[in-house]
Amino acid sequence: MASRAALIAGVIVVIALVAAAALVMGGEKTKPAETPPGTTSPAPSTPATPAETATETGAAGRREIVLKVGLLVDESGPTSDVGRDYARGAEAAFKYFNEKGVYTKDGVRVRFEYVKRDYAYNPSKAVEFYREFRDRYGVVAIVGWGTADTEKLADQVAKDKVLYISASYSAKLVGKPFNFFPAPDYSTQACAAVKWMAEKKQDARLALLYDHKVAYSKSPIPAIKAYAPEAGVEIVADVDLPLKATGADAERAIQQAMGSKPDFLWCGNTIHSCSLAAKALVKYGLEAVQVSNVWGFDERFPQMAGSGVEGKVAGVSPWIWPEYAKDKPGYKEVYEAAKMMGISEDKVNLRFMQGFMNVWLLVKAIERTTSTELMEKKGEALKEALESSCQGDPIQLGDITPPMRFCPGKHLPFTSVYIVVYGEDGKFHFEGPVSPEGFDCVAATQG
Amino acid sequence: MPAGVFKETYLADMAHLRYPIHWAALVAGLALLLVLPVMLGSYGAGLAVMLMVFFVGTVGLNITTGLAGQISLAQAALMGVGAYTAAYLANAGVSILLAIPAAALAATIAGVVLGLPSFKLKGYYLAMASIAAQAVLEYVFQTIVDPYQGIEINPEAKTLAGIYLGDGAPLYYTVLAITILAVIAAANIGRSSLGRAMKAVRDNDISAEIIGIDVTRTKALAFAIGSFYAGLAGALYALASPSVGWDSFTMETSIDYLAMVLVGGPGRIIWGSLLGALTIRTGWSLLASVFAASAAVKYLVLGGVIAFFVVKEPDGLIGVLRRIKEYLRLWPFSY
């Protein structure tokens, strides 16, 4: 009896294996026209050759370019606390721009077909998905996510000429030819935060809290350490706080930092970890202000950190958050896109906007190229289009960003950030913009 | 004229290819492997490359664990030793084809050194010791070898006579050739005196010692060979990836390796490892697409599968397939 059960189990396993192999390896052929706009995983597609990556379709007399784009997100890994809303924002943007219409310089409509993959913040998985994007779908551009994976792929995307717009603002990406993001790099952002601390308190003492293993968390640390003495800030502690921290981890980190009597804490992780640190800060009565990196602080922070954090926490943001500029150009589009996706206004937050912005930057690139260039040079045409802002008209995403210029060899569009303080009054206050002028934080990171 | 196939010499009896169908399968299999990149395209070939990388690593662990009975949960870390050695050598200007054997040797040395305290241990104690080895190596990777979570590999080192071996069909054929060589070598280990000694140690080390087998030496060799294959897998991974990072060589990957051995068939070095690698690799992809939002569900399913094979099918998938083969051979008169 057991033998028969095992036999049946064996047959099932073999069938499942064959099905899985067929699913993973193959993929049936579907005509691009049959795929609805904004196709998501795991929609099969025609195995791509380079010539098929941007295809022309459309009714007689009307040209339309279908552009295949990869969307690499973390919806289940350690950065999914901020990754889920980012992914939602990017997907909303693809749908919004497909409906609204994106046109090249010569008036040809471009429609996005995107393929989403959740890599769970595993850089090795990201490399596998990149290969899938490139070899199976033949994408021209990728809207990506984390630091370790984007850095890992930077040279490869340059070799393959795939435009890569990441949610990582690592300074190491500033010099990579096909990597872009609509923000200052992490190092410049962190230096601005240090400058703000120096302005707030003379001879300020700063303790660093971040995951000592994770590339994202570590990214701005060399720049902070190089710039702090210049700005008159003393680094008094360097504490390991895991990205996937528990409450106990955060309490341990805060207790360790307390020994050095800091005036400020830098939290270099994402919001889950940073909010736990803030909670511990309140619990142990540490008289210091915690300033978090851009992914470590947003509208949800007070709720996540709990009561008592008023006046004790702040975060870096290169942009005004959507809730505070609803009716301004750029922000209006973000809300419109959310509405189109059936997402309520209260769900539109900084992360959603960041996802939207990355897709919008891709749209800006398309609008600066011609259909011929796009068809012939694909990712390279988009790269050159963005770099045309270096000498020509700057790029601006409504009022969300200041005028941005991407120059060949230095994709650093602007250098100012706001320090968003959660005040004693229980409201967010945007201070700045602050810019660490006179010090090259990118160079300090790159060594 | 006698009916059937007769083996008249010891050599014929021990040959890997004993029947005409074996030869036919070999020719067909090789032909299939050679045309695979054309059939599957570059994406499919890329998946096949990663499958081969993990297959080589699983073969190594199957020798250590399946053949010699030495439970090891440090295979991924040893793979990391190989990958980092290859990456560092490539970045120093050494051709990746020279870096690959060097990386395998480095992993062998690391495996033996880390395995030294384990040679007197067995069972759960050995598993714990190997977890410690994994943790130590991970710590070294994260703090000393690769503190910035990723080392780019010089593409020049992957270029041979103007052909870039790090991508596409050249990568596939390079990895295929190395995998075939590694598999041929592994296929003979189980049949050698060393292989028999390993099996004896696995089944009962006291009895093995009584009949004159040097148990410590056999365990050391099992670790060394398993580590060699792990290092080889790591070097192939370095060849196939634009950069290497410690995130690829974590405890989770080591558990995956153990699952590949248990699910495929412990002690069945080639076919068991192949089936295990195929099941776990494709299984992960399938689970990831089905349970995209919940990593916990994936682990639950994987745990369930491993538990099923450990309890109900200790011979792994290969044992199930063998029974299916027998069932079909005797059908409809199986009694």
Side-chain angles (χ1 to χ4, degrees):
Chain A
M1 214 44 203
S3 160
R4 177 159 294 191
L7 199 70
I8 293 165
V11 171
I12 291 168
V13 168
V14 170
I15 291 168
L17 256 179
V18 171
L23 181 80
V24 175
M25 306 282 271
E28 62 196 86
K29 291 190 176 186
T30 310
K31 287 176 193 166
E34 289 171 356
T35 315
T39 300
T40 57
S41 162
S45 173
T46 311
T49 61
E52 291 171 312
T53 55
T55 49
E56 287 188 40
T57 60
R62 271 192 64 199
R63 288 176 69 207
E64 186 179 80
I65 294 174
V66 176
L67 205 69
K68 291 188 178 167
V69 182
L71 176 58
L72 191 67
V73 294
D74 175 14
E75 291 182 314
S76 58
T79 57
S80 58
D81 52 349
V82 282
R84 275 192 284 266
D85 283 343
Y86 170 86
R88 213 174 292 159
E91 289 197 82
F94 280 124
K95 188 176 165 67
Y96 173 77
F97 287 113
N98 270 345
E99 298 252 338
K100 193 183 168 205
V102 177
Y103 296 90
T104 57
K105 223 160 45 174
D106 53 342
V108 175
R109 184 171 178 150
V110 176
R111 192 163 57 81
F112 293 115
E113 255 181 29
Y114 72 94
V115 184
K116 187 176 83 172
R117 290 288 179 266
D118 171 16
Y119 78 111
Y121 211 55
N122 178 345
S124 315
K125 205 75 199 155
V127 174
E128 287 180 33
F129 284 141
Y130 171 71
R131 287 203 167 119
E132 186 184 9
F133 287 155
R134 184 193 63 184
D135 298 336
R136 188 177 182 188
Y137 295 101
V139 303
V140 171
I142 291 172
V143 173
W145 182 244
T147 297
D149 43 285
T150 311
E151 286 178 356
K152 197 169 189 167
L153 287 166
D155 289 336
Q156 189 65 47
V157 298
K159 200 163 161 257
D160 299 331
K161 296 184 168 47
V162 174
L163 185 82
Y164 205 108
I165 301 174
S166 64
S168 165
Y169 315 133
S170 161
K172 286 184 183 168
L173 300 170
V174 167
K176 301 289 183 183
F178 278 78
N179 286 84
F180 294 85
F181 44 77
D185 63 285
Y186 290 138
S187 301
T188 303
Q189 292 182 28
C191 286
V194 171
K195 187 181 176 187
W196 177 83
M197 292 169 199
E199 285 168 3
K200 288 280 166 191
K201 191 173 190 308
Q202 210 176 7
D203 300 323
R205 295 164 65 81
L206 171 63
L208 306 173
L209 268 64
Y210 60 98
D211 193 320
H212 285 197
K213 303 182 294 297
V214 174
Y216 153 69
S217 307
K218 289 169 80 165
S219 183
I221 301 303
I224 293 175
K225 287 182 176 172
Y227 180 64
E230 300 257 333
V233 173
E234 190 189 352
I235 308 283
V236 291
D238 188 336
V239 179
D240 188 16
L241 174 66
L243 194 63
K244 291 188 275 188
T246 60
D249 290 329
E251 286 183 15
R252 202 178 306 120
I254 288 293
Q255 280 177 317
Q256 206 177 323
M258 277 175 83
S260 56
K261 297 187 174 59
D263 303 306
F264 294 97
L265 297 168
W266 166 260
C267 182
N269 294 342
T270 56
I271 193 165
H272 165 76
S273 182
C274 289
S275 61
L276 285 177
K279 195 179 265 185
L281 180 147
V282 173
K283 181 177 174 181
Y284 290 103
L286 176 59
E287 285 302 319
V289 174
Q290 179 183 306
V291 183
S292 302
N293 201 357
V294 61
W295 294 102
F297 194 78
D298 63 33
E299 298 90 335
R300 301 166 296 165
F301 198 92
Q303 197 188 351
M304 291 172 77
S307 58
V309 293
E310 294 82 4
K312 287 176 174 289
V313 291
V316 173
S317 176
W319 324 278
I320 300 287
W321 295 351
E323 198 187 329
Y324 296 85
K326 266 182 188 168
D327 297 324
K328 287 199 168 183
Y331 295 93
K332 275 193 289 190
E333 281 87 336
V334 174
Y335 278 98
E336 218 175 298
K339 200 175 168 189
M340 202 176 273
M341 288 281 280
I343 295 168
S344 61
E345 270 198 13
D346 59 315
K347 299 279 183 210
V348 176
N349 57 17
L350 173 64
R351 308 307 165 204
F352 185 92
M353 188 176 87
Q354 283 174 279
F356 185 92
M357 286 166 67
N358 277 15
V359 176
W360 198 358
L361 188 60
L362 173 62
V363 169
K364 289 285 179 187
I366 292 165
E367 288 170 349
R368 284 173 171 245
T369 189
T370 65
S371 57
T372 317
E373 285 168 343
L374 189 55
M375 290 301 292
E376 284 173 4
K377 292 167 79 179
K378 301 180 179 71
E380 196 174 13
L382 297 171
K383 167 198 180 277
E384 286 169 4
L386 287 177
E387 286 179 345
S388 70
S389 63
C390 184
Q391 302 294 335
D393 291 339
I395 297 167
Q396 209 166 343
L397 306 181
D399 278 353
I400 299 175
T401 63
M404 298 191 289
R405 290 187 190 277
F406 295 97
C407 293
K410 194 171 188 186
H411 294 167
L412 182 58
F414 61 103
T415 57
S416 61
V417 296
Y418 296 96
I419 305 298
V420 190
V421 180
Y422 186 60
E424 299 278 3
D425 55 0
K427 288 178 181 164
F428 291 109
H429 301 273
F430 287 76
E431 297 189 11
V434 188
S435 182
E437 284 143 10
F439 190 84
D440 192 344
C441 298
V442 175
T445 303
Q446 292 170 340
Chain B
M1 200 67 176
V5 179
F6 288 85
K7 290 167 275 186
E8 293 171 344
T9 61
Y10 179 68
L11 217 58
D13 191 42
M14 287 300 289
H16 284 291
L17 304 166
R18 282 174 282 175
Y19 308 111
I21 195 168
H22 287 168
W23 283 100
L26 177 72
V27 172
L30 278 178
L32 183 71
L33 286 173
L34 287 175
V35 299
L36 212 60
V38 183
M39 283 169 63
L40 298 176
S42 47
Y43 170 61
L47 286 179
V49 164
M50 290 319 289
L51 180 65
M52 285 191 276
V53 167
F54 282 91
F55 173 42
V56 170
T58 311
V59 165
L61 187 62
N62 215 335
I63 291 170
T64 313
T65 300
L67 207 60
Q70 308 302 298
I71 298 169
S72 171
L73 276 162
Q75 194 74 349
L78 293 166
M79 183 184 173
V81 173
Y84 282 119
T85 307
Y88 270 93
L89 287 174
N91 289 345
V94 178
S95 164
I96 195 85
L97 291 182
L98 288 175
I100 286 171
L105 283 175
T108 309
I109 294 165
V112 173
V113 170
L114 287 166
L116 276 175
S118 317
F119 298 154
K120 295 286 178 194
L121 303 173
K122 57 184 177 181
Y124 301 119
Y125 302 103
L126 181 58
M128 293 300 288
S130 68
I131 289 172
Q134 168 78 34
V136 167
L137 281 174
E138 266 190 62
Y139 179 77
V140 170
F141 294 159
Q142 288 167 0
T143 53
I144 301 166
V145 179
D146 179 19
Y148 284 94
Q149 207 183 353
I151 294 175
E152 289 166 21
I153 306 168
N154 172 24
E156 292 292 312
K158 295 184 183 178
T159 308
L160 189 73
I163 301 168
Y164 181 64
L165 302 177
D167 209 353
L171 170 68
Y172 173 84
Y173 290 117
T174 308
V175 174
L176 178 66
I178 294 170
T179 303
I180 288 173
L181 286 176
V183 164
I184 291 171
N188 286 311
I189 289 172
R191 302 144 59 90
S192 64
S193 59
L194 174 65
R196 287 192 295 276
M198 284 181 187
K199 285 177 194 167
V201 169
R202 175 191 67 190
D203 294 341
N204 193 323
D205 54 349
I206 297 169
S207 303
E209 201 156 15
I210 289 167
I211 60 170
I213 292 169
D214 185 338
V215 173
T216 304
R217 181 178 164 273
T218 307
K219 282 183 179 180
L221 280 170
F223 267 102
I225 295 168
S227 306
F228 180 88
Y229 276 85
L232 189 60
L236 293 178
Y237 183 85
L239 174 66
S241 296
S243 68
V244 291
W246 51 258
D247 40 77
S248 307
F249 316 114
T250 57
M251 176 62 79
E252 282 88 350
T253 314
S254 277
I255 293 170
D256 275 358
Y257 266 123
L258 193 63
M260 288 179 204
V261 170
L262 295 175
V263 170
R268 301 285 294 177
I269 295 169
I270 308 304
W271 295 110
S273 303
L274 182 62
L275 272 175
L278 194 64
T279 312
I280 298 298
R281 293 285 299 171
T282 51
W284 266 128
S285 301
L286 201 66
L287 288 174
S289 61
V290 176
F291 302 108
S294 173
V297 176
K298 289 192 291 186
Y299 283 106
L300 276 174
V301 174
L302 183 76
V305 169
I306 294 172
F308 172 80
F309 278 97
V310 169
V311 176
K312 287 283 179 192
E313 286 299 331
D315 289 337
L317 270 178
I318 198 79
V320 175
L321 286 182
R322 195 188 290 165
R323 281 211 302 282
I324 291 172
K325 193 176 111 183
E326 280 302 300
Y327 181 82
L328 294 174
R329 196 169 68 82
L330 299 173
W331 187 85
F333 305 112
S334 52
Y335 297 101

